Amino acid sequence: MIDFLGVPMPVLMGQLLLGLINGAFYAVLSLGLALIFGLLNIINFAHGAFYMLGAFVAWLAMQYLGIGYWPSLILAPLVVGAFGVVIERTLLKRLYNLDHLYGLLLTFGLALVIEGTFRQIYGISGQPYQLPASLSGGINLGFMFLPKYRAWVIVASLVMCLATWLIIERTKLGALMRAATENPDLVRAFGVNVSLLVTLTYGFGVALAAFAGVLAAPIYSVNPIMGSHLIIVVFAVVVIGGMGSILGAIVSGFMLGVFEGLTRVFWPEASSVVIFVIMAIVLIVKPAGLFGRTA
């Protein structure tokens, strides 16, 4: 059996795969956070709750409506995104001219309400979600066994991240979204409905969290606290990449997932804190983050 620095290759590759899977969730979630902060200047602490809602919508759709995984991959982001639109229209729009702290406090309170409601109804034991039959099993690569669904999660996350980056950075719509945050009055002068643009941006950012929740449902148990366990790490990823940086969120998400996986192999005791150590180092060396721009 081939070893690398005393570690069997199947063990090393297995942890790298686990790191890539975690990195996929970090990337999609931090992408939604970076999008909302970069374009709306809202620190969306309810992002973990929306991730949980995505998983629960998929589970409820299968449990009570017989809707399977593939339709839920579209349905859940749409439902949760629509809920996000209602939240933005009724609550968040009142905070845009205030300090960031007000948005953080509101979304933190919203997260507590959503998670508390689901804990009251479903408890915290978790609900199993059936793996889609087309993605069951795996592929023997010789040096490791690659589960099909894990590979799908990585590919789907990469595609979603790339598509979002292209929309924001390479399309007219993305240019309007960015311009609306920097000079809304000028954009309005061109006949653009800035208010609607901002609302749809928040809805899309929330839908990204729900998309990640559906991807996570067959891997982890669907439970009300699944988002709260992840959101602090995701915020660290966003800070490392640079607050509001779309590319930074994607790159740092996958990169830190791999770092976390490698740490589990060579120094397991530090795996739970390695991301925060990296965050501290990055903030000392480059306070704006790896891809952030200094004001």
Side-chain angles (χ1 to χ4, degrees):
M1 183 179 293
I2 300 175
D3 288 359
F4 179 78
L5 298 178
V7 178
M9 189 59 68
V11 174
L12 177 62
M13 297 307 295
Q15 288 299 327
L16 277 176
L17 175 63
L18 182 60
L20 277 174
I21 293 169
N22 288 338
F25 292 125
Y26 296 161
V28 176
L29 284 167
S30 60
L31 177 60
L33 269 180
L35 183 66
I36 291 170
F37 180 80
L39 300 181
L40 278 71
N41 287 321
I42 291 288
I43 302 174
N44 188 36
F45 215 93
H47 214 62
F50 290 128
Y51 163 76
M52 176 270 292
L53 274 179
F56 258 104
V57 169
W59 180 80
L60 290 168
M62 176 175 283
Q63 201 71 7
Y64 297 105
L65 301 177
I67 298 175
Y69 172 82
W70 296 109
S72 291
L73 207 55
I74 299 173
L75 176 65
L78 288 176
V79 170
V80 178
F83 179 60
V85 165
V86 173
I87 294 298
E88 194 279 336
R89 284 285 82 196
T90 57
L91 299 174
L92 289 177
K93 72 172 186 176
R94 307 171 188 275
L95 306 178
Y96 292 144
N97 296 323
L98 302 178
D99 190 272
H100 295 321
L101 180 62
Y102 291 97
L104 188 151
L105 290 173
L106 174 63
T107 55
F108 178 67
L110 183 63
L112 293 179
V113 170
I114 295 172
E115 290 177 10
T117 301
F118 276 79
R119 286 182 68 172
Q120 184 68 27
I121 299 172
Y122 298 103
I124 60 172
S125 57
Q127 311 292 336
Y129 188 85
Q130 184 179 351
L131 193 74
S134 57
L135 294 176
S136 61
I139 305 168
N140 191 344
L141 300 178
F143 56 87
M144 68 172 291
F145 183 79
L146 177 64
K148 290 181 182 178
Y149 188 77
R150 267 68 172 178
W152 156 249
V153 167
I154 296 169
V155 172
S157 300
L158 278 169
V159 170
M160 180 59 72
C161 289
L162 179 60
T164 302
W165 180 80
L166 287 173
I167 290 171
I168 301 300
E169 299 292 339
R170 295 290 185 268
T171 67
K172 182 180 178 180
L173 176 62
L176 286 174
M177 292 166 69
R178 286 180 276 118
T181 63
E182 295 175 8
N183 197 331
D185 292 331
L186 179 61
V187 175
R188 285 191 189 96
F190 284 94
V192 177
N193 189 333
V194 172
S195 179
L196 177 62
L197 203 60
V198 167
T199 300
L200 293 179
T201 299
Y202 187 79
F204 181 65
V206 164
L208 284 174
F211 178 78
V214 180
L215 289 179
I219 298 178
Y220 310 112
S221 63
V222 180
N223 65 83
I225 59 176
M226 62 188 293
S228 59
H229 288 167
L230 197 59
I231 190 63
I232 301 300
V233 175
V234 173
F235 265 108
V237 172
V238 173
V239 170
I240 291 169
M243 291 294 288
S245 171
I246 306 299
L247 182 62
I250 298 170
V251 174
S252 60
F254 280 102
M255 179 184 70
L256 292 168
V258 171
F259 267 114
E260 192 177 47
L262 289 174
T263 306
R264 284 197 182 96
V265 175
F266 298 105
W267 192 9
E269 297 83 359
S271 62
S272 60
V273 298
V274 63
I275 290 179
F276 301 102
V277 172
I278 293 173
M279 180 181 72
I281 294 172
V282 168
L283 288 176
I284 291 171
V285 176
K286 193 178 181 189
L290 296 177
F291 295 83
R293 289 174 294 181
T294 305

